[in-house]
Amino acid sequence: MTRRLVLTNEAACHPLRRTLPPPVIAASGGCDDQDVKLFVLSFAAFFTCFYSFIF
């Protein structure tokens, strides 16, 4: 049994959503360098504020 080429999204239930192409899922490359920089910046800001309130 052969199946014809389907150009619609069969998982969508609404007729308008069936006409849209399926969503593209981007592959995540793990921990990004931007995440590490944000964490270090947040940690330094918290430490500076906390240290300045104590002394």
Side-chain angles (χ1 to χ4, degrees):
M1 181 170 146
T2 60
R3 186 174 171 181
R4 295 187 313 173
L5 178 64
V6 178
L7 297 176
T8 61
N9 188 0
E10 293 178 338
C13 295
H14 193 272
L16 178 65
R17 292 191 69 185
R18 281 191 202 129
T19 61
L20 298 174
V24 177
I25 301 172
S28 178
C31 185
D32 195 11
D33 185 34
Q34 188 71 19
D35 294 339
V36 175
K37 289 179 183 178
L38 181 63
F39 173 75
V40 171
L41 179 68
S42 301
F43 182 80
F46 175 76
F47 181 77
T48 304
C49 291
F50 189 74
Y51 187 78
S52 66
F53 283 129
I54 289 179
F55 294 108

